[in-house]
Amino acid sequence: MKIAYLGPSGSFTHNAALKAFPEQELVPYATITDVIKAYENGQVDFALIPVENSIEGSVHETLDYLFHQADIKAVAEIVQPIQQQLMASTADRNIEKIFSHPQALAQGKVYIREHYPQAKIEVTASTAYAARYVAEHPEQSYAAIAPSVAAQEYGLTIIGQDIQEIDENYTRFWILGQKVPQLPLQAQASKISLALTLPDNLPGALYKAMSVFAWRGIDMTKIESRPLKTVLGEYFFIIDLDNSLSELVAFALEELQALGIDFKVLGEYNVYNI
């Protein structure tokens, strides 16, 4: 079985794929769109893509493609803590340059300022690329900020552990497929994700849409608007709902239809924590 994921090897997405599919063939792709297209074209059995980070927010490339261009559903969600490690070829170097993605550099700036104030900062396209670059130049006094899986992947030594400033940093990943995969993880919750399109001639349309869930006691865990890409000022709304009472959710969706509110199910899935 083949699993597409957002590469390169040693990325946080790679680590999530390893945890979810430890015995399967993992195939990296350069962009989220490439990952989804690989699944659409039948090149892989499942696709794993990031959908939201607790600090940076939603991954718009994922949500926009699934709404506008694809008829694919999420069948599982993986939640992974984001922990940044400082790594080098050896532990005895006087580090002169530190490479990483801008977000990782920002998350580790206090640690860097305290322990390596003289080091120059170099920006890379991803944390995994940074780790690979450091591994390719073992003679240099270089270090990278990347996940621990990157140290394993590229043979680097972790010289600073969990250097991120914010501990409560998590990323959600969706697994796209036609069936629910068997994962070696414990399910923690059940959710459903919808994309709503509101009619122009229905006053209070968003309020009415939300009320069909509220009066039934269905917990909404997220709401976000995205441009419809038609004219200025028109949006669709992405909402995540607790799906543990799936019969009530089904009745709520019927009421949405009766109100003339269109929706697309982006996924109905269990949530697994790493």
Side-chain angles (χ1 to χ4, degrees):
M1 189 164 64
K2 292 184 178 181
I3 314 299
Y5 72 94
L6 178 63
S9 298
S11 64
F12 283 108
T13 312
H14 183 213
N15 186 65
L18 284 170
K19 298 295 185 183
F21 300 99
E23 305 297 329
Q24 307 304 325
E25 181 181 352
L26 306 181
V27 185
Y29 289 87
T31 69
I32 291 171
T33 298
D34 289 341
V35 174
I36 300 174
K37 285 184 175 179
Y39 174 75
E40 285 182 303
N41 297 333
Q43 297 171 251
V44 296
D45 300 283
F46 292 98
L48 190 146
I49 50 176
V51 66
E52 184 180 20
N53 176 262
S54 58
I55 295 175
E56 300 297 326
S58 293
V59 180
H60 294 152
E61 183 179 355
T62 295
L63 296 174
D64 287 352
Y65 193 97
L66 293 179
F67 176 74
H68 290 287
Q69 297 177 254
D71 188 19
I72 307 171
K73 292 181 175 58
V75 292
E77 178 176 292
I78 309 294
V79 179
Q80 175 176 242
I82 302 302
Q83 296 168 317
Q84 304 286 4
Q85 320 299 327
L86 184 67
M87 55 193 69
S89 296
T90 61
D92 57 355
R93 292 286 175 84
N94 182 23
I95 301 302
E96 296 176 359
K97 283 188 179 181
I98 297 176
F99 298 80
S100 198
H101 186 273
Q103 292 178 12
L105 291 168
Q107 291 168 12
K109 66 179 182 295
V110 172
Y111 183 93
I112 295 171
R113 189 184 304 127
E114 181 180 349
H115 293 87
Y116 301 96
Q118 79 290 346
K120 295 182 179 179
I121 302 300
E122 296 285 344
V123 173
T124 60
S126 75
T127 55
Y129 282 126
R132 187 171 69 184
Y133 185 81
V134 170
E136 290 172 349
H137 298 82
E139 75 285 356
Q140 300 292 339
S141 298
Y142 293 165
I145 300 176
S148 57
V149 67
Q152 301 168 14
E153 183 75 17
Y154 300 112
L156 298 176
T157 300
I158 294 177
I159 59 176
Q161 191 168 13
D162 295 346
I163 69 170
Q164 69 279 353
E165 295 176 38
I166 300 175
D167 292 331
E168 295 300 315
N169 186 2
Y170 296 87
T171 296
R172 299 169 59 203
F173 297 89
W174 277 354
I175 297 175
L176 309 179
Q178 291 185 333
K179 59 182 180 179
V180 178
Q182 297 297 315
L183 304 181
L185 301 168
Q186 185 68 38
Q188 303 294 323
S190 177
K191 290 168 60 178
I192 184 171
S193 295
L194 308 173
L196 305 181
T197 306
L198 304 178
D200 294 332
N201 58 350
L202 180 63
L206 180 59
Y207 169 80
K208 291 175 181 177
M210 297 302 97
S211 68
V212 306
F213 305 110
W215 76 262
R216 289 181 172 88
I218 299 169
D219 185 26
M220 182 172 65
T221 60
K222 172 184 175 176
I223 180 169
E224 178 182 358
S225 63
R226 292 291 300 147
L228 263 177
K229 300 183 179 181
T230 50
V231 299
L232 185 65
E234 291 192 350
Y235 301 89
F236 69 97
F237 293 85
I238 299 162
I239 63 172
D240 292 346
L241 301 162
D242 176 17
N243 198 35
S244 56
L245 300 174
S246 56
E247 289 188 8
L248 285 181
V249 173
F251 290 138
L253 298 184
E254 290 180 6
E255 186 176 348
L256 280 183
Q257 291 178 318
L259 289 169
I261 297 172
D262 294 329
F263 63 88
K264 180 178 184 179
V265 178
L266 300 179
E268 193 170 354
Y269 48 86
N270 287 331
V271 180
Y272 303 84
N273 291 338
I274 295 177

